[in-house]
Amino acid sequence: MISHLNGRVSAVAPEGAVIEVGGVGLLVQCTPGTLATLRPGERARVATSLVVREDALTLFGFAADDERDVFELLQTASGVGPRLALAMLAVFTPDALRRAVAAEDVTALTRVPGIGRKGAQRIVLELAGRLGPPGVAGRQGQLGQPAAGPGLPGAEPWRDQVRAGLLNLGWQPREADQAIAAVAADVAAANGGAGANGDASANGDAGAKGDGAADGASAEVDVAAMLRAALRKLSRA
């Protein structure tokens, strides 16, 4: 069992990243939100889960140990393999999944590409009481960085990262662009007041916060939150 990797990020692509540890480059499959926090040339710590198959050894990486633990637990449900479990964590945070399962919110779970209503009902039935209550693992920083760094929609790189994540999850380019535009508009509206905290979605999962640091450094976009907000836009379309 490889519990985590701690090394230099050699490359990042929409479907995974290569992290060099001890001179060996290891390919790690990650959610778009996790990939968005990785920077080529910088060091990172990624919690990992090794999935063994007859024809492949696949390493999956996560921003925090809690995500990794939920990923492994999700696969104990009938019909949920590593790819579907990863897609679920691309759409929901671990705590959001706990809330959906606890509330038996089948509709919310069907937002994940590949999960129909019957599949969602089965997941709720089999995982009820096993994921724990929301907040059980506490908030953990992503890859050794601050847990929250949302910023203004003017930081264009987040658009490319969110678009790549949506395409990787199976959405069409036009749909992805429309969702991103809608999220950007929400963030712009939420940041109408100086230094105000804003939400880019109805439940406040994605948003922008003014950076009050004395040095005036600009805030960074929380790409994972933006991705979740875009997925909600698509699910309502």
Side-chain angles (χ1 to χ4, degrees):
M1 175 70 177
I2 301 175
S3 180
H4 73 269
L5 300 179
N6 193 333
R8 184 178 64 85
V9 180
S10 297
V12 177
E15 68 280 0
V18 176
I19 298 179
E20 183 177 336
V21 181
V24 178
L26 298 173
L27 177 61
V28 186
Q29 304 295 311
C30 306
T31 64
T34 297
L35 289 172
T37 66
L38 300 174
R39 300 289 183 270
E42 297 183 1
R43 292 190 64 85
R45 181 189 183 279
V46 183
T48 58
S49 176
L50 179 63
V51 175
V52 180
R53 295 289 185 267
E54 290 184 359
D55 58 347
L57 297 176
T58 307
L59 199 59
F60 292 87
F62 307 91
D65 291 347
D66 186 35
E67 284 187 331
R68 186 262 321 282
D69 295 342
V70 171
F71 169 79
E72 293 177 346
L73 188 55
L74 287 173
Q75 294 176 69
T76 64
S78 302
V80 179
R83 297 294 178 185
L84 186 55
L86 197 69
M88 294 175 72
L89 287 169
V91 177
F92 297 102
T93 63
D95 274 356
L97 274 175
R98 292 184 176 105
R99 286 191 292 269
V101 171
E104 299 183 3
D105 192 345
V106 172
T107 301
L109 294 175
T110 58
R111 296 172 186 169
V112 179
I115 296 183
R117 190 165 187 85
K118 289 185 178 179
Q121 291 172 337
R122 184 175 61 249
I123 290 170
V124 167
L125 178 65
E126 296 185 14
L127 295 181
R130 299 179 59 198
L131 291 175
V136 66
R139 295 187 60 83
Q140 300 184 41
Q142 294 186 342
L143 307 177
Q145 300 177 2
L152 301 175
E156 291 300 320
W158 75 265
R159 295 173 181 262
D160 293 335
Q161 294 166 336
V162 171
R163 190 176 192 273
L166 293 174
L167 296 180
N168 195 40
L169 289 172
W171 296 99
Q172 296 300 312
R174 182 179 178 183
E175 296 172 321
D177 292 339
Q178 290 174 341
I180 291 169
V183 171
D186 286 348
V187 175
N191 280 273
N197 292 346
D199 290 333
S201 61
N203 66 3
D205 202 7
K209 299 178 182 177
D211 189 347
D215 62 3
S218 61
E220 294 182 356
V221 171
D222 185 341
V223 178
M226 293 295 188
L227 177 63
R228 290 191 291 271
L231 286 166
R232 278 194 297 277
K233 295 288 185 182
L234 289 167
S235 69
R236 297 168 186 162

